[in-house]
Amino acid sequence: MASHIVGYPRMGPKRELKFALESFWDGKSSAEDLQKVAADLRASIWKQMADAGIKHIPSNTFSYYDQMLDTTAMLGAVPDRYNWTGGEIGFDTYFSMARGNASVPAMEMTKWFDTNYHFIVPELGPNTKFSYASHKAVNEYKEAKELGVNTVPVIIGPVSYLLLSKPAKGVEKSFSLLSLLEKILPVYKEVVAELKAAGSSWIQFDEPTLVLDLHSHQLEAFTYAYSELESSLSGLNVLIETYFADVPAEAYKTLTSLKGVTGFGFDFVRGPQTIDLIKGGFPSGKFLFAGVVDGRNIWANDLASSLNTLGALEGIVGKDKLVVSTSCSLLHTAVDLANETKLDKELKSWLAFAAQKVVEVNALAKALAGQKDEEFFSANAAAQASRKSSPRVTNEAVQKAAAALKGSEHRRATNVSARLDAQQKKLNLPVLPTTTIGSFPQTVELRRVRREYKANKISEDDYVKAIKEEISKVVKLQEELDIDVLVHGEPERNDMVEYFGEQLSGFAFTVNGWVQSYGSRCVKPPIIYGDVSRPKAMTVFWSSLAQSMTSRPMKGMLTGPVTILNWSFVRNDQPRFETCYQIALAIKDEVEDLEKAAVTVIQIDEAALREGLPLRKSEQAFYLDWAVHSFRITNCGVQDTTQIHTHMCYSNFNDIIHSIIDMDADVITIENSRSDEKLLSVFREGVKYGAGIGPGVYDIHSPRIPSTEEIADRINKMLAVLETNILWVNPDCGLKTRKYSEVKPALSNMVSAAKLLRTQLASAK
């Protein structure tokens, strides 16, 4: 019985790749050092899968930054601004595209479907020249082969690559990216020919865009691409892998009739309806790769239930044509439960990280082949049962409070323009008020203090004193820079979700449960295993302390319920919206406590609101409805004079702008600078927005320091489409990952730009 893994995390069980990358970027280690760490990680992953008995082991799912960027490099589609002169693409060009460099900005980064992973968006146009410029897929296949592992090279398929690209700057927005298919296919043919020559017997093309709502001409592009590739692919087994949702009926027809394809992979965790299509007909003699082990969560698989599903599929496609697989790449889950020393035994028995999921896949494959490991299966059944009946999971009071929410809309008493007037009387801010998003740089010293406090190496008094000093420094700095609405800098916080989760019931935390977000950046999502409530105030102590240090308004800083939900590993035993309403009630308590403590500006971040948006249009309205409702629940009880801010990060907002307006926040700050003012186009098209808005005026994800003129120019572009009296001036995200040597001049230029424009506006009057 065959088994397959779609892809595997790259960072390493202890984030080895992250540290190697950052050391290389800081000039502290050589390219060879970085390559050595990477090669060791790849070798250990291949060996681990081989030892576990996996038949189809992926290669080329490793990446130094991102798999879409790897494909861009493979195709030689380097934007002109990086001055690449041809030849094999090296680290210099590759990392410049990913991160920018001293003279040119990075390429845009955006969500990978509805995950919390970000990819680097290809910038293409009619004049893009393509050439085979990165031999990574072939090199990694050969590398594994030398280690005695025959892998399945994984490449982003040509059609998904183009559908996920964007027209480069200066190219008509209406430019058809799919018109480039005939230009990129020759490169794909070269790659395939080399893989064949190297001895590859299988090749996997990831075509996840097949789960989206596609038009017929987009579906035709798949038919065209694979019939063009057919002769190159002959003699190879070809797997087309899809994931993250059901494949719609039309797309299923297109997919299963593709030329030259041997196997089809489906996500049966997030796409259970696809089974009905398979029952309705599956091409005979083809392989079905059945994604029954969840690649996006940390819960142990319900093996008995998966075995039932697999049994039904086996009846349709035949025993020798069914391959047990993961629902998607394991990139989106934590690496190895073996490294979790702090979780208790009961909770641990409910979990499986990537390494454990590999074992589950193999156990299911063996069970199907009649070699069921009875001991493994009965331990799994016992864990499933204990999770269902555990008193840790259920809290009657929380269930009742959440059920009682159903009847109300939870809106504030008056409309936004009346509230803004009341707030302005109280806050007395200048036109184009300046603020930052929340966090300030987290210095080595600061991290050490937090670490030592956590390990009980310093007393609570010493810890509070150190954090107090840090807040005082941040407040003074903002006053010197003459920023209007201050933040306390969040020195006490490790992470915007973890910090709250640690103080809420129903959450558990890992030590090494890191998941890649982008590049070297990893997040450690909390695990929501039970009903959520807030035992006591979480942020009031620090926020009121910070407010007492200044006469300027100090923002209280909270993470919103939808973001906490979308950035956690969420329990899968009740609908997501029920968990979200529970979190909303906990945050509502906190908002009201902050207001009582005389904090009059409260920011409730919903950075990840759009992240949870279902991939299919038919399911989006329901999600947006409960997500926006959850946000309103948190602040529906505050006075008109309390100003509610929210912040949103990297995403394409234009399609959900009406939901954003429906959140009814007083002020919204938005990541904008890296997606090149795409956001502003929605206002150009006449969407009326009456609340305060602060589209980011510079990109904090890059070390580049923007000049006053550049920022003033950005603000002017915004003033062309937004009213002067609602515009705020701020960076596009928190500053925690930057250095003070970058933050000070950048903020100083930002404030100067705002003042320059205030002067110009006043004289124009």
Side-chain angles (χ1 to χ4, degrees), residues 468 471 475 487-488 492-493 537-557 590 593-602:
K468 238 183 197 164
I471 292 175
V475 170
V487 298
H488 76 292
E492 78 287 10
R493 305 187 189 182
M538 303 183 282
T539 66
V540 177
F541 174 78
W542 296 116
S543 283
S544 47
L545 178 84
Q547 182 63 82
S548 72
M549 295 176 178
T550 180
S551 56
R552 300 180 185 217
M554 171 63 64
K555 283 197 279 199
M557 279 291 155
E590 186 70 14
D593 281 352
L594 279 168
E595 186 182 58
K596 282 186 196 117
V599 176
T600 53
V601 181
I602 302 169

Short mmCIF file of all heavy atoms in Angstrom, two decimals, residues 468 471 475 487-488 492-493 537-557 590 593-602:
data_model
loop_
_atom_site.label_atom_id
_atom_site.label_comp_id
_atom_site.label_asym_id
_atom_site.label_seq_id
_atom_site.Cartn_x
_atom_site.Cartn_y
_atom_site.Cartn_z
N LYS A 468 9.18 48.50 33.01
CA LYS A 468 8.80 49.90 33.26
C LYS A 468 9.80 50.84 32.60
O LYS A 468 9.44 51.82 31.95
CB LYS A 468 8.81 50.15 34.77
CG LYS A 468 7.50 50.63 35.34
CD LYS A 468 7.69 50.91 36.84
CE LYS A 468 6.34 50.98 37.52
NZ LYS A 468 6.42 50.88 38.96
N ILE A 471 9.34 50.84 28.86
CA ILE A 471 8.14 51.61 28.46
C ILE A 471 8.45 53.11 28.56
O ILE A 471 8.13 53.89 27.65
CB ILE A 471 6.92 51.25 29.34
CG1 ILE A 471 6.49 49.80 29.06
CG2 ILE A 471 5.75 52.21 29.08
CD1 ILE A 471 5.38 49.27 29.95
N VAL A 475 8.17 55.78 25.57
CA VAL A 475 7.29 56.95 25.70
C VAL A 475 8.09 58.24 25.45
O VAL A 475 7.69 59.11 24.67
CB VAL A 475 6.59 56.98 27.08
CG1 VAL A 475 5.88 58.31 27.31
CG2 VAL A 475 5.59 55.82 27.19
N VAL A 487 2.11 54.70 21.95
CA VAL A 487 1.93 53.29 22.31
C VAL A 487 2.94 52.99 23.41
O VAL A 487 3.91 53.74 23.58
CB VAL A 487 2.18 52.36 21.10
CG1 VAL A 487 1.17 52.65 19.99
CG2 VAL A 487 3.61 52.51 20.57
N HIS A 488 2.75 51.87 24.12
CA HIS A 488 3.73 51.58 25.19
C HIS A 488 4.85 50.68 24.67
O HIS A 488 5.81 50.41 25.38
CB HIS A 488 3.04 51.00 26.43
CG HIS A 488 2.62 49.57 26.31
ND1 HIS A 488 1.61 49.15 25.46
CD2 HIS A 488 3.08 48.44 26.91
CE1 HIS A 488 1.47 47.83 25.57
NE2 HIS A 488 2.35 47.37 26.44
N GLU A 492 6.52 43.78 27.13
CA GLU A 492 6.20 42.61 27.96
C GLU A 492 5.65 41.46 27.12
O GLU A 492 5.36 40.38 27.64
CB GLU A 492 5.18 43.01 29.04
CG GLU A 492 3.73 43.14 28.59
CD GLU A 492 3.40 44.36 27.73
OE1 GLU A 492 4.31 45.09 27.28
OE2 GLU A 492 2.20 44.59 27.49
N ARG A 493 5.50 41.69 25.81
CA ARG A 493 4.82 40.68 24.99
C ARG A 493 5.77 39.92 24.07
O ARG A 493 6.58 40.52 23.39
CB ARG A 493 3.72 41.34 24.14
CG ARG A 493 2.76 42.12 25.00
CD ARG A 493 1.57 42.65 24.22
NE ARG A 493 0.80 43.56 25.07
CZ ARG A 493 -0.31 44.15 24.70
NH1 ARG A 493 -0.81 43.94 23.49
NH2 ARG A 493 -0.94 44.97 25.53
N ALA A 537 -7.99 40.60 34.38
CA ALA A 537 -7.50 41.59 33.42
C ALA A 537 -6.11 41.20 32.91
O ALA A 537 -5.29 40.67 33.65
CB ALA A 537 -7.46 42.96 34.07
N MET A 538 -5.86 41.50 31.64
CA MET A 538 -4.63 41.03 30.99
C MET A 538 -3.63 42.15 30.71
O MET A 538 -2.42 41.95 30.79
CB MET A 538 -4.99 40.33 29.67
CG MET A 538 -5.97 39.17 29.85
SD MET A 538 -6.36 38.27 28.31
CE MET A 538 -7.54 39.37 27.52
N THR A 539 -4.14 43.33 30.35
CA THR A 539 -3.23 44.40 29.87
C THR A 539 -3.37 45.70 30.65
O THR A 539 -2.65 46.66 30.39
CB THR A 539 -3.54 44.74 28.40
OG1 THR A 539 -4.86 45.33 28.33
CG2 THR A 539 -3.50 43.51 27.51
N VAL A 540 -4.36 45.74 31.57
CA VAL A 540 -4.70 47.01 32.22
C VAL A 540 -3.53 47.57 33.02
O VAL A 540 -3.25 48.77 32.97
CB VAL A 540 -5.95 46.83 33.11
CG1 VAL A 540 -6.26 48.13 33.84
CG2 VAL A 540 -7.15 46.41 32.25
N PHE A 541 -2.81 46.71 33.70
CA PHE A 541 -1.68 47.16 34.52
C PHE A 541 -0.68 47.96 33.68
O PHE A 541 -0.33 49.10 34.00
CB PHE A 541 -1.00 45.95 35.18
CG PHE A 541 0.27 46.31 35.93
CD1 PHE A 541 0.21 46.91 37.18
CD2 PHE A 541 1.53 46.07 35.36
CE1 PHE A 541 1.38 47.25 37.87
CE2 PHE A 541 2.70 46.41 36.04
CZ PHE A 541 2.63 47.00 37.29
N TRP A 542 -0.23 47.36 32.57
CA TRP A 542 0.80 48.03 31.75
C TRP A 542 0.26 49.25 31.02
O TRP A 542 0.94 50.27 30.92
CB TRP A 542 1.39 47.04 30.74
CG TRP A 542 2.11 45.88 31.36
CD1 TRP A 542 1.76 44.56 31.28
CD2 TRP A 542 3.30 45.94 32.17
NE1 TRP A 542 2.67 43.80 31.98
CE2 TRP A 542 3.62 44.60 32.54
CE3 TRP A 542 4.13 46.98 32.61
CZ2 TRP A 542 4.73 44.27 33.31
CZ3 TRP A 542 5.24 46.65 33.39
CH2 TRP A 542 5.53 45.32 33.74
N SER A 543 -0.97 49.15 30.50
CA SER A 543 -1.52 50.29 29.74
C SER A 543 -1.76 51.50 30.63
O SER A 543 -1.47 52.63 30.23
CB SER A 543 -2.81 49.89 29.03
OG SER A 543 -2.49 49.13 27.89
N SER A 544 -2.28 51.28 31.83
CA SER A 544 -2.53 52.45 32.69
C SER A 544 -1.21 53.02 33.22
O SER A 544 -1.06 54.23 33.37
CB SER A 544 -3.53 52.16 33.80
OG SER A 544 -3.21 50.97 34.43
N LEU A 545 -0.23 52.12 33.43
CA LEU A 545 1.10 52.59 33.82
C LEU A 545 1.67 53.51 32.73
O LEU A 545 2.19 54.60 33.00
CB LEU A 545 2.03 51.39 34.04
CG LEU A 545 3.47 51.73 34.41
CD1 LEU A 545 3.59 51.96 35.90
CD2 LEU A 545 4.42 50.62 33.99
N ALA A 546 1.57 53.06 31.48
CA ALA A 546 2.11 53.84 30.35
C ALA A 546 1.37 55.17 30.21
O ALA A 546 1.98 56.21 29.97
CB ALA A 546 2.00 53.03 29.06
N GLN A 547 0.03 55.15 30.39
CA GLN A 547 -0.74 56.38 30.28
C GLN A 547 -0.32 57.39 31.36
O GLN A 547 -0.29 58.59 31.13
CB GLN A 547 -2.25 56.09 30.36
CG GLN A 547 -3.14 57.31 30.21
CD GLN A 547 -3.03 58.02 28.85
OE1 GLN A 547 -3.63 57.62 27.88
NE2 GLN A 547 -2.24 59.10 28.78
N SER A 548 0.07 56.85 32.54
CA SER A 548 0.46 57.75 33.63
C SER A 548 1.80 58.46 33.35
O SER A 548 2.16 59.41 34.03
CB SER A 548 0.55 56.96 34.94
OG SER A 548 1.71 56.13 34.92
N MET A 549 2.54 57.98 32.35
CA MET A 549 3.85 58.58 32.05
C MET A 549 3.76 59.74 31.07
O MET A 549 4.77 60.36 30.75
CB MET A 549 4.79 57.52 31.44
CG MET A 549 5.15 56.38 32.37
SD MET A 549 6.17 55.17 31.48
CE MET A 549 6.51 53.99 32.79
N THR A 550 2.57 60.01 30.51
CA THR A 550 2.48 61.04 29.47
C THR A 550 1.12 61.73 29.51
O THR A 550 0.14 61.14 29.97
CB THR A 550 2.69 60.42 28.06
OG1 THR A 550 2.58 61.44 27.07
CG2 THR A 550 1.67 59.34 27.75
N SER A 551 1.10 62.98 29.02
CA SER A 551 -0.19 63.67 28.94
C SER A 551 -0.85 63.42 27.57
O SER A 551 -1.98 63.79 27.34
CB SER A 551 0.02 65.17 29.14
OG SER A 551 0.95 65.62 28.17
N ARG A 552 -0.09 62.80 26.65
CA ARG A 552 -0.66 62.49 25.33
C ARG A 552 -1.50 61.21 25.43
O ARG A 552 -1.28 60.41 26.34
CB ARG A 552 0.46 62.28 24.31
CG ARG A 552 1.33 63.50 24.17
CD ARG A 552 2.45 63.32 23.14
NE ARG A 552 3.31 64.51 23.16
CZ ARG A 552 3.87 65.03 22.08
NH1 ARG A 552 3.70 64.47 20.90
NH2 ARG A 552 4.61 66.12 22.17
N PRO A 553 -2.43 61.01 24.48
CA PRO A 553 -3.22 59.77 24.54
C PRO A 553 -2.33 58.54 24.34
O PRO A 553 -1.42 58.55 23.51
CB PRO A 553 -4.21 59.90 23.37
CG PRO A 553 -4.08 61.29 22.85
CD PRO A 553 -2.83 61.89 23.37
N MET A 554 -2.58 57.52 25.12
CA MET A 554 -1.82 56.26 25.07
C MET A 554 -2.79 55.16 24.63
O MET A 554 -3.82 54.96 25.28
CB MET A 554 -1.26 55.96 26.47
CG MET A 554 -0.62 54.61 26.66
SD MET A 554 0.85 54.32 25.65
CE MET A 554 1.99 55.54 26.29
N LYS A 555 -2.47 54.48 23.56
CA LYS A 555 -3.37 53.43 23.08
C LYS A 555 -3.27 52.16 23.92
O LYS A 555 -2.18 51.66 24.16
CB LYS A 555 -3.00 53.02 21.64
CG LYS A 555 -3.45 53.98 20.57
CD LYS A 555 -3.44 53.37 19.16
CE LYS A 555 -2.09 53.35 18.49
NZ LYS A 555 -2.19 53.17 17.01
N GLY A 556 -4.42 51.64 24.33
CA GLY A 556 -4.46 50.28 24.86
C GLY A 556 -4.32 49.35 23.66
O GLY A 556 -4.75 49.70 22.56
N MET A 557 -3.69 48.20 23.86
CA MET A 557 -3.36 47.34 22.72
C MET A 557 -3.87 45.93 22.92
O MET A 557 -3.38 45.21 23.79
CB MET A 557 -1.83 47.21 22.64
CG MET A 557 -1.16 48.35 21.97
SD MET A 557 -1.61 48.28 20.23
CE MET A 557 -1.40 50.00 19.88
N GLU A 590 -12.05 42.80 28.64
CA GLU A 590 -10.79 43.54 28.73
C GLU A 590 -10.96 44.99 28.25
O GLU A 590 -10.44 45.92 28.86
CB GLU A 590 -9.72 42.81 27.89
CG GLU A 590 -8.33 43.38 28.01
CD GLU A 590 -7.68 43.14 29.37
OE1 GLU A 590 -8.18 42.30 30.15
OE2 GLU A 590 -6.65 43.79 29.64
N ASP A 593 -12.63 46.97 30.90
CA ASP A 593 -11.71 47.25 32.02
C ASP A 593 -10.70 48.34 31.67
O ASP A 593 -10.34 49.16 32.52
CB ASP A 593 -10.97 45.97 32.44
CG ASP A 593 -11.85 45.06 33.31
OD1 ASP A 593 -12.96 45.51 33.69
OD2 ASP A 593 -11.44 43.92 33.59
N LEU A 594 -10.24 48.36 30.43
CA LEU A 594 -9.31 49.42 30.00
C LEU A 594 -10.01 50.78 30.06
O LEU A 594 -9.45 51.77 30.52
CB LEU A 594 -8.79 49.16 28.58
CG LEU A 594 -7.65 48.15 28.43
CD1 LEU A 594 -7.45 47.78 26.96
CD2 LEU A 594 -6.33 48.69 29.01
N GLU A 595 -11.24 50.81 29.57
CA GLU A 595 -11.99 52.07 29.58
C GLU A 595 -12.16 52.57 31.02
O GLU A 595 -11.96 53.76 31.30
CB GLU A 595 -13.35 51.88 28.90
CG GLU A 595 -14.12 53.19 28.74
CD GLU A 595 -15.50 52.99 28.12
OE1 GLU A 595 -16.30 52.23 28.69
OE2 GLU A 595 -15.76 53.61 27.08
N LYS A 596 -12.48 51.67 31.93
CA LYS A 596 -12.61 52.04 33.35
C LYS A 596 -11.30 52.60 33.90
O LYS A 596 -11.30 53.42 34.81
CB LYS A 596 -13.02 50.83 34.19
CG LYS A 596 -14.50 50.48 34.09
CD LYS A 596 -14.84 49.34 35.08
CE LYS A 596 -16.18 48.72 34.73
NZ LYS A 596 -16.04 47.28 34.37
N ALA A 597 -10.17 52.13 33.36
CA ALA A 597 -8.86 52.58 33.84
C ALA A 597 -8.40 53.85 33.11
O ALA A 597 -7.21 54.17 33.10
CB ALA A 597 -7.84 51.46 33.66
N ALA A 598 -9.35 54.55 32.46
CA ALA A 598 -9.08 55.84 31.80
C ALA A 598 -8.16 55.74 30.59
O ALA A 598 -7.47 56.69 30.24
CB ALA A 598 -8.52 56.85 32.81
N VAL A 599 -8.17 54.58 29.94
CA VAL A 599 -7.47 54.47 28.64
C VAL A 599 -8.53 54.79 27.59
O VAL A 599 -9.51 54.07 27.45
CB VAL A 599 -6.90 53.05 28.45
CG1 VAL A 599 -6.27 52.90 27.07
CG2 VAL A 599 -5.87 52.75 29.54
N THR A 600 -8.35 55.92 26.87
CA THR A 600 -9.45 56.39 26.01
C THR A 600 -9.28 56.05 24.54
O THR A 600 -10.17 56.27 23.73
CB THR A 600 -9.61 57.92 26.12
OG1 THR A 600 -8.34 58.50 25.85
CG2 THR A 600 -10.09 58.34 27.48
N VAL A 601 -8.08 55.53 24.17
CA VAL A 601 -7.91 55.04 22.80
C VAL A 601 -7.53 53.57 22.93
O VAL A 601 -6.56 53.23 23.60
CB VAL A 601 -6.80 55.82 22.05
CG1 VAL A 601 -6.66 55.31 20.62
CG2 VAL A 601 -7.10 57.32 22.05
N ILE A 602 -8.33 52.70 22.33
CA ILE A 602 -8.07 51.26 22.46
C ILE A 602 -8.01 50.64 21.08
O ILE A 602 -8.95 50.75 20.30
CB ILE A 602 -9.16 50.57 23.31
CG1 ILE A 602 -9.25 51.21 24.71
CG2 ILE A 602 -8.90 49.06 23.41
CD1 ILE A 602 -10.47 50.78 25.51
#
